[in-house]
């Protein structure tokens, strides 16, 4: 599928960059905040450490198994459509994580969250070229790279604060409205 080289208006470009930035930041936050939740999850579910590790591994399996496939599916069915679908799945899976009544439910929801994250990460990078002029693509890619690193670095601190103040569900709940913001911005600003 070929994509037009029409550059959107400045407002649409900023809104689209917000969507792509959040689509890069959120998966990294989700991965690094969950590390901080393991002790609280162990208490809440009375689960052994081996089961708790699957909360992290399930997310990574979702991301790694679909990252390459997501790029190809985006080329075939539309990058915007698949990116927005990934954001919606990520938001739903984050809510399912927060509502998890058992460790098995949480692990299954983390797989879904990882699948949504794979679509978000791979297609956000692919869409920068459609969103910004060629002279500014380096800046756009740099912005996404910076947000990815920030998500990884800030996740443990935010996760620890949220869990300490509001319980293990808080990091997952935080991801829901921010994901919905990304979804709205993407619907408005992505070509």
């Amino acid at each position: 599928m070929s994509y037009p080289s029409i550059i959107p208006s400045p407002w649409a470009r900023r809104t689209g960059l917000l969507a792509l930035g959040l689509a890069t930041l959120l998966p990294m936050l989700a991965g690094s905040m969950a590390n901080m939740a393991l002790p609280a999850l162990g208490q809440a579910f009375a689960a052994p450490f081996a089961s708790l590790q699957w909360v992290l591994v399930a997310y990574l399996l979702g991301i790694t198994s679909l990252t390459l496939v997501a790029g190809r599916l985006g080329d075939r069915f539309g990058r915007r459509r698949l990116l927005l679908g990934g954001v919606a799945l990520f938001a739903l899976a984050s809510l399912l994580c927060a509502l998890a009544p058992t460790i098995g439910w949480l692990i299954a929801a983390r797989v879904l969250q990882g699948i949504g994250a794979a679509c978000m990460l791979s297609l956000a990078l692919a869409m920068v070229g459609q969103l910004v002029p060629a002279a500014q693509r380096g800046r756009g890619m740099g912005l996404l790279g910076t947000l990815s690193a920030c998500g990884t670095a800030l996740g443990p601190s935010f996760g620890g604060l949220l869990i300490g103040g509001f319980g293990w569900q808080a990091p997952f709940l935080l991801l829901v409205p921010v994901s919905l913001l990304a979804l709205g911005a993407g619907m408005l600003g992505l070509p």
Side-chain angles (χ1 to χ4, degrees):
M1 175 180 272
S2 66
Y3 293 94
S5 59
I6 299 169
I7 303 299
S9 70
W11 180 86
R13 189 170 41 243
R14 283 191 292 273
T15 305
L17 279 175
L18 172 64
L20 296 182
L22 289 174
T24 305
L25 174 73
L26 289 171
M28 305 316 284
L29 273 175
S32 60
M33 283 193 305
N35 290 326
M36 302 308 296
L38 292 184
L41 291 171
Q43 291 177 348
F45 294 118
F49 187 70
S51 295
L52 296 175
Q53 288 178 322
W54 277 101
V55 172
L56 305 177
V57 172
Y59 183 74
L60 294 175
L61 284 173
I63 286 181
T64 56
S65 65
L66 200 66
T67 297
L68 292 176
V69 176
R72 178 67 180 126
L73 291 174
D75 290 341
R76 184 172 176 128
F77 298 111
R79 293 175 182 167
R80 180 181 187 270
R81 178 182 299 149
L82 197 60
L83 174 66
L84 295 177
V87 174
L89 178 61
F90 185 86
L92 175 64
S94 297
L95 181 62
L96 291 174
C97 287
L99 299 175
T102 66
I103 193 72
W105 174 302
L106 180 60
I107 290 168
R110 287 285 285 173
V111 170
L112 291 176
Q113 195 180 39
I115 291 169
C119 294
M120 293 163 69
L121 287 171
S122 60
L123 295 169
L125 291 172
M127 290 198 70
V128 170
Q130 291 175 246
L131 197 60
V132 297
Q136 295 177 350
R137 285 192 190 131
R139 281 180 156 171
M141 296 295 283
L143 172 68
L144 297 185
T146 300
L147 289 170
S148 174
C150 287
T152 302
L154 295 175
S157 300
F158 284 147
L161 287 172
L162 289 169
I163 293 164
F166 305 102
W168 69 265
Q169 298 94 340
F172 298 112
L173 286 174
L174 170 73
L175 296 172
V176 175
V178 183
S179 298
L180 294 176
L181 173 64
L183 185 62
M187 292 173 77
L188 293 173
L190 293 177

